[in-house]
Structures are given as structure tokens and as C-alpha cells.
Amino acid sequence: MPLPEEDNADSGAQPQPPESRPPDRPDRRAGLNRTLLLALAAMLFGYLIAGRMDWLWRDTGEVKRDFEVMRTFARITIPAGNGSSESTTALADLAERAVREVNDLMGPRGERSDIRRLNASPAGTWVEVNPITWAVVMEALRWNRLSGGAFDPTIGPVKGMFTFDQGELAAWPDAADLARAKSLVGADKLRFDREGMRLSWAVDGMTLDLGAIAKGYAADRAIAVLVSRGVKHAMVDIGGELRLLGGKPDGTPWRAGIRNPRWNHSDPDAALSGRLELADAGIATSGDYENYFTHLGRRYLHIIDPRVGLPLAAGPGVAAGVTVVHPDSCLAADALATTLCVLGPEAGRAFLADQALGLFSRGVKAIMLVPREDDGAMRKITYTVDTKGGLTVEEE
Ligand code: AMP
Ligand code: MG
């Protein structure tokens, strides 16, 4: 190692013959050099240890974070080797917080809920909402317009006439009450002020319900937070609405099953109607098997047909399950799954064809399970919109 310039200067500008140096000088220099070297080595060692230490305590192993939110179960999976050097636990904390924030702002209740405040406000009163609530409401209104009213986030008054507890409905609501509830449905009666991000009702008694897209949005938001931290592989599942980021770190796809809507829980082999192996996708499912009630032997879905003002009745021709795969938005997958349930197989096909270059210009796939008119056996119809606006329909 070359000596520092100062040491040479100290010994004089000219090199001196060894015999002219004082006898103790070489030893002192060697001692100094050794001390300096040791100090430098110690500094380097300390620096390396400090720089590496958080590697020792930072946990980078796979995290599966399970929690309850939006009246369902959520799971955030952050694998080892996800592309970020941050702790997987810390990343899961951030993603969970993002999901909980959507619930806090857009759930029907709670201190911070914009929806609670809006639903409690009389007609004509402006309610300012959080920018993220605003973005989701604007999406809901867009889907309402483009679906010709099949998707409608103001179905609350009709939904409120029924209890969806999977039990028998004691008495069908009165026709007059149903007519009144229907008159309080219509997203065109939700006024909005873009500048102030404010919403207000045109008619008293109306309510906003983001239940058909909020889970999908929450999954997107959790993934967006992870992406901002450098994560390249993750999966967020909120009550069956999934957003996949990349594939698994080993290069294999994520796997998801399509539930058989008529599975009676006895035969495990019959639980699934299909399997999906995917990377980078939003996946959402709507159907008649999780949230429903029965009345006089008929099953009714928690999905309302806003055009007739009644819950969809399960049966031939009505989708028992719709699973949508969107390339990059779980909100869009969620909204479309609900919309296709309302529209059914034929109008659903027309909607997909109409919006192939609009809502679905980045491509989309929908798998619809519909009981057949004659024998009730399940038809499986797969609709695929490609990025050039083409629609193909296959039936098994
Ligand atoms: P999903 O499970 O995503 O299909 O959403 C169903 C939920 O969305 C219901 O529980 C209602 O809260 C709400 N909803 C019901 N019918 C509609 C509809 N036609 N358009 C939009 N949201 C609806
Ligand atoms: Mg939905």
C-alpha cells in the first residue's frame, strides 16, 4: 500500500540515504503504518457488517398474510425472491394497509367511510370524498353507462328488501314496497362535481354500494403498492377476487381453480369446474352459490337486475358462475363478472363484442357456467376478446 503523501513530506522532499536517518525512525513509521492499516481494516469491516447486518435480520422468506376484510377472507402472498430487497413482512404490512384503506373508505360503515356519509345525506347535499373513493365511483358510473344499466352501484334499496343469508325468505316483499325501492335505483341520479370530487343524490333515500368492484379495486391497489417497492411476483386474493403480479419467482405460473357452482361439498374431485394457470392477471368470479336466499324452492342471487328491480333468480339460462380474467385490472374483472351475471349468455356476448375495442381493448376472457334449459346440465361458455377487437366464443 503506498504511503500517504504527508508521510513522505514529513521525511523531507528528498529521499535520504538510510544511514542518515535517526535509528528509531523506521520502527516508528512501521508502527504508524500498522495502526493506520488496522484502523482502515476495522473501518472496512465495520462498514461491511453494518451494510450486511440488515440482511441478517431482514426477513425475505415467503409471507402469506391472511386477514378478514370486506366481510370475507383475504390472503396476500409475497414469495421469496420477489424482486424487492425489502422484508416480505414489511411488504405484506403495506399491502394489507392498502386493502384496509379501501374497506375503510368504501365500506358501508365505519368512521372514515365516504359511502356511509353519502348514504346518510339528504338529496341535494354535496359530500366530498377521498380521491381513491372518487376514482372507484367514477369507474362504477362508467360501467353503468357502458353496460346499459346492467351494472348499477345504486341497487341498495332493492337489495335491502331481501336478506341474503342462504336461508328461506319468510315473505316476499310487498309489490308497492318493491316498486318504491326500484324507483330509488338509477346511477344517473347520482350527481357529481369533478372539480371538488363531490357527490350528491338527486332523490332522497338512494344509496351507493360498491360491493361489485371494491374487492377487485382493493386487490389492484395492494399490487400497485408492492410494484412501487420493486416487487415483481405476488398474489393478492380478496374473497376470491385475485390479482397476480408476474408469475412465481421460479418462472412457473400461479394456479387458481374455478369453483363448480353445484359442488355439494361431498366429492372433493367435483369441487372445481376448471383450472387456470396464469401470470399477470386480474381474476374475479360472480355467481349464485355463495351469497343467496331461497324462496318457495327457488334460489335468488345477491346480484340485482336493476332493470327489473329484483334479484336474479337462479335457474336455466341464468349464469350460475362467471369467472373473468383481465390482463391487468382486477377492478375490471370484478365489474365484468357482475355485469355478465346480469346480462346472461346472449346479451353478455353482445356486450363483449360492443366493448371489444373500448373497455376490453387490452383483451379479456370470461368463462360462464349456465344451466341448460332442458336438463339443467351445466354449459361452459368461454368468451375471448383479443387485443384486435375480435371475439371468439367456445362451448363445452
Ligand atoms: P359481486 O360478488 O362482485 O358480483 O358483487 C355483488 C355485490 O354487488 C352485491 O352483493 C351487491 O352489493 C352489489 N350488486 C348487486 N347487483 C349489482 C348490480 N347489478 N350492479 C352493481 N352492483 C351490484
Ligand atoms: Mg363483481
Side-chain angles (χ1 to χ4, degrees), residues 200-219:
S200 99
W201 296 113
V203 177
D204 266 337
M206 292 186 66
T207 56
L208 193 62
D209 173 344
L210 297 173
I213 52 172
K215 289 191 205 110
Y217 176 70

Side-chain angles (χ1 to χ4, degrees), residues 136-150:
V136 176
V137 173
M138 291 302 112
E139 276 296 308
L141 295 182
R142 186 158 80 109
W143 277 82
N144 172 256
R145 282 193 304 279
L146 297 175
S147 69

Side-chain angles (χ1 to χ4, degrees), residues 150-153 155 159 209 211-212 241 286 302-304 306 334 338 342:
F151 184 95
D152 193 320
I155 42 70
K159 192 182 171 197
D209 173 344
E241 318 298 35
S286 286
H302 65 132
I303 297 174
I304 310 295
D334 199 355
T338 308
V342 176

Side-chain angles (χ1 to χ4, degrees), residues 22 26 35 52 95 109 171 219 236 241 258 264 312 314 322:
T35 314
R52 294 268 158 179
R109 282 171 285 279
V236 176
E241 318 298 35
I258 300 176
N264 61 13
L312 292 172
V322 180

